[in-house]
Amino acid sequence: MIARARQGRVMHRRSNRLLLTLVALVAACAAVLVDEEREQSHAGRWSMDFQYLVGGLGFGPALDLGGCALGFDPRLDNACGQDYGPVPGGQCFCPRHAGSVFFYPPPRPHGAREERIDAPPP
Amino acid sequence: MRPLLEVARTGLDSVLLHPLRSFVCCAAVVVVLTPYLAGLALSKGIEAQAEESAQLGADLYISGSRFGRPAPIPLGAIADIPRIDGVEAVVPRIVGEVILGKDHVRGVLVGLPPAHLTSWPGSIDGRLPRDGGPHELVIGTALARRLGLKIGDALLPFYHNNRGVRISRVVGTFKPDAPLWQANLCLATFDTAAYIFDQPGLATDLLVWCEAGQSQQVAARLLQGMALAAPSGADRAQPRVTLREDLLALLPLGPLHRQGVFTLHFVLAFVMAVLVLLVASGLGLDERRREIGVLKATGWQTDEVLLRGAVESLCLSLGGACVSLLGAWAWLRLCNGCGLAGFFLGGADLVIENRMPFRLTPVPALLSFVLSFVVVAMGTLYSAWRAATVSPRDAMR
């Protein structure tokens, strides 16, 4: 009887320790989230200065222009330089497009004089 | 209330009764959830930087197009643009590729007029480039590391120009906290960039700032009346206009869509985790079924057994979710997303020199806890319910 009671107390002590560990883990997560929020607002300033400085540059998964300026920034080119579309799977020749889960299509073109249907009469 | 709390407390005891099983459950949650959380945070960080790039840039960008390919714009074409109603400022820009060093490192050379540069020195260590004297460059962190350059170093000529070549000097480096795309950037004045590319009087694009709400009308007027031709009339190019709204429209088509695909892959991983937990927590664990049988034989009701299982699942999932969140944070903050960044930045090195952007926000953290609870509860509660609804004798057999 005494042994069973002692075993119960030990079990309770261990479960209390588990509860404390869980509380500590939750507190650590909360601290990380609060710290990250503060860090983001700090880093945002450099990001803002950089974009104002270069007039808006960089958008995609590429970090240089090597063969696919569209992957670096869609403002620089309207098509992937390594898109061999007519070949089956030709798009996959571009490492920026095939290797990233973060690519995008070219921006919508604004055609010159797109509202005119036909050339004016001579 | 007190009996319920006592039953709930046995849920905590239950976690400790089978340490190996609890460890396997937590490990299954952590293995699936950590890369998912890290990937989601990385994706959000890159998306936020892309959005900032579109929001903080010019209202519209004019570039030339010839045979559907990009073509340079003669600087003479700028003269008429400020006269268009709604235009506030026009800045010519050169963006082109340069190959540097004996290892042929690719760099992106950006040239802007000094008057535009002077307003925003915050993202740079050192100073901004100036005209006159040797070519002055501000270089990105990846270029600085690969070429072994620091502020004050000279860069031997890396281009050809019939008028002669000059030594360039590094006058600044971008801060590692600046956006990703600074990694391989070389910033110079407009004249320096034109000299390096040997393209005097040409720009690759024009940055146009407009009055509020006028960008669409300005774009339409530009497309109707603009002729991108040299003063001689030769080398005529078609104007191509990209609005800020066009760029922002790409975010749901690209990054957000891909983020969905990324999430979908992890749904499959979650399904696998549920199966692992089912095997580990009841269907494959005879001892656990016998334990529930004993509880039923000593007078426990099915709802009490389920409450015990729910508390146990809550503890395991909370522990797993917290460890996953801390693991994802350590992966991104301390290891700079090593091994994961390559999935988001195609062609990038696995370890990137500048700090990887990520956004670890409370919403994904909460989502991770809910997901892990669903995964663990599906594995635990179902098996507990199956064992609790049969007679104690069968459960104990």
Side-chain angles (χ1 to χ4, degrees):
Chain A
M1 193 72 179
I2 294 169
R4 199 175 294 167
R6 191 178 296 162
Q7 200 178 357
R9 272 204 302 278
V10 170
M11 204 63 203
H12 269 316
R13 207 179 302 146
R14 285 175 64 195
S15 60
N16 282 344
R17 214 175 295 156
L18 176 69
L19 202 62
L20 279 176
T21 310
L22 283 176
V23 170
L25 275 174
V26 172
C29 287
V32 159
L33 290 175
V34 170
D35 183 56
E36 277 307 311
E37 196 64 40
R38 211 176 44 202
E39 192 79 21
Q40 292 306 331
S41 59
H42 180 70
R45 228 188 83 216
W46 308 130
S47 177
M48 206 157 77
D49 274 1
F50 173 83
Q51 292 299 350
Y52 281 135
L53 179 73
V54 296
L57 190 69
F59 194 83
L63 299 183
D64 58 53
L65 299 179
C68 179
L70 174 73
F72 182 78
D73 192 325
R75 289 166 280 208
L76 303 179
D77 200 350
N78 50 2
C80 172
Q82 291 179 311
D83 183 355
Y84 303 102
V87 179
Q91 200 181 27
C92 301
F93 285 103
C94 176
R96 272 76 179 174
H97 283 105
S100 173
V101 292
F102 211 67
F103 67 86
Y104 42 79
R108 186 173 59 92
H110 291 265
R113 300 174 179 88
E114 60 191 1
E115 77 283 3
R116 291 187 189 173
I117 296 166
D118 204 355
Chain B
M1 190 69 187
R2 192 171 171 79
L4 274 181
L5 283 175
E6 284 300 320
V7 171
R9 196 183 177 87
T10 60
L12 281 174
D13 297 339
S14 168
V15 174
L16 298 165
L17 270 178
H18 305 284
L20 183 63
R21 181 225 164 225
S22 301
F23 175 76
V24 170
C25 286
C26 270
V29 168
V30 169
V31 163
V32 176
L33 219 52
T34 305
Y36 176 66
L37 272 176
L40 209 59
L42 207 53
S43 170
K44 285 275 172 209
I46 299 172
E47 185 199 323
Q49 285 202 346
E51 195 177 346
E52 270 175 9
S53 167
Q55 293 281 12
L56 303 174
D59 291 315
L60 51 96
Y61 296 80
I62 306 168
S63 52
S65 172
R66 201 179 293 152
F67 299 115
R69 307 300 303 164
I73 301 171
L75 288 179
I78 299 178
D80 296 334
I81 298 173
R83 287 199 281 271
I84 295 172
D85 286 342
V87 172
E88 282 186 340
V90 185
V91 173
R93 182 172 74 172
I94 291 176
V95 182
E97 187 179 50
V98 285
I99 306 292
L100 302 164
K102 63 179 188 318
D103 294 330
H104 303 288
V105 178
R106 288 174 187 275
V108 181
L109 179 63
V110 178
L112 282 156
H116 173 83
L117 292 177
T118 47
S119 314
W120 309 103
S123 59
I124 286 171
D125 287 324
R127 66 171 176 83
L128 287 162
R130 289 195 286 251
D131 277 331
H135 294 325
E136 294 185 343
L137 302 173
V138 172
I139 58 171
T141 47
L143 273 187
R145 194 190 65 81
R146 285 185 195 168
L147 298 172
L149 293 172
K150 53 185 186 301
I151 297 170
D153 285 354
L155 195 61
L156 292 174
F158 54 90
Y159 59 93
H160 297 287
N161 189 319
N162 291 333
R163 289 177 285 163
V165 292
R166 294 187 203 167
I167 286 175
S168 307
R169 191 163 296 283
V170 178
V171 293
T173 54
F174 286 105
K175 289 191 167 116
D177 285 327
L180 282 172
W181 301 285
Q182 58 79 25
N184 296 313
L185 219 61
C186 294
L187 182 69
T189 62
F190 187 86
D191 288 344
T192 300
Y195 192 91
I196 288 171
F197 287 118
D198 195 11
Q199 298 288 331
L202 294 173
T204 53
D205 49 5
L206 304 177
L207 320 183
V208 181
W209 280 268
C210 305
E211 289 168 12
Q214 291 288 311
S215 52
Q216 292 278 0
Q217 287 87 333
V218 171
R221 274 177 222 134
L222 281 167
L223 286 168
Q224 280 170 7
M226 194 174 177
L228 300 181
S232 62
D235 298 335
R236 187 186 172 87
Q238 294 292 325
R240 175 177 166 253
V241 175
T242 307
L243 277 82
R244 178 183 291 146
E245 291 76 19
D246 299 336
L247 290 172
L248 292 173
L250 291 183
L251 285 172
L253 293 173
L256 290 179
H257 173 66
R258 299 295 151 190
Q259 200 172 292
V261 174
F262 180 74
T263 305
L264 197 65
H265 279 94
F266 272 93
V267 170
L268 297 175
F270 285 128
V271 171
M272 289 303 293
V274 171
L275 295 177
V276 167
L277 292 172
L278 273 173
V279 171
S281 61
L283 292 182
L285 198 65
D286 291 339
E287 196 185 337
R288 191 170 163 78
R289 277 208 306 274
R290 276 197 293 273
E291 184 189 307
I292 292 171
V294 170
L295 289 176
K296 288 283 285 185
T298 53
W300 281 50
Q301 300 298 310
T302 303
D303 54 349
E304 289 170 337
V305 172
L306 290 179
L307 176 65
R308 182 177 186 263
V311 172
E312 185 188 4
S313 301
L314 190 75
C315 291
L316 291 174
S317 57
L318 191 64
C322 288
V323 171
S324 302
L325 186 77
L326 294 173
W329 175 79
W331 193 354
L332 295 168
R333 175 65 67 200
L334 309 177
C335 306
N336 206 19
C338 179
L340 192 66
F343 290 106
F344 291 89
L345 301 167
D349 292 342
L350 285 183
V351 179
I352 295 170
E353 287 83 357
N354 62 322
R355 197 165 290 166
M356 287 299 297
F358 68 90
R359 292 253 163 116
L360 212 52
T361 52
V363 174
L366 200 67
L367 185 75
S368 73
F369 167 65
V370 172
L371 275 174
S372 63
F373 181 70
V374 168
V375 167
V376 176
M378 278 172 80
T380 310
L381 288 182
Y382 176 66
S383 56
W385 175 75
R386 286 234 347 203
T389 49
V390 296
S391 71
R393 193 179 57 181
D394 289 340
M396 283 187 283
R397 185 175 292 160

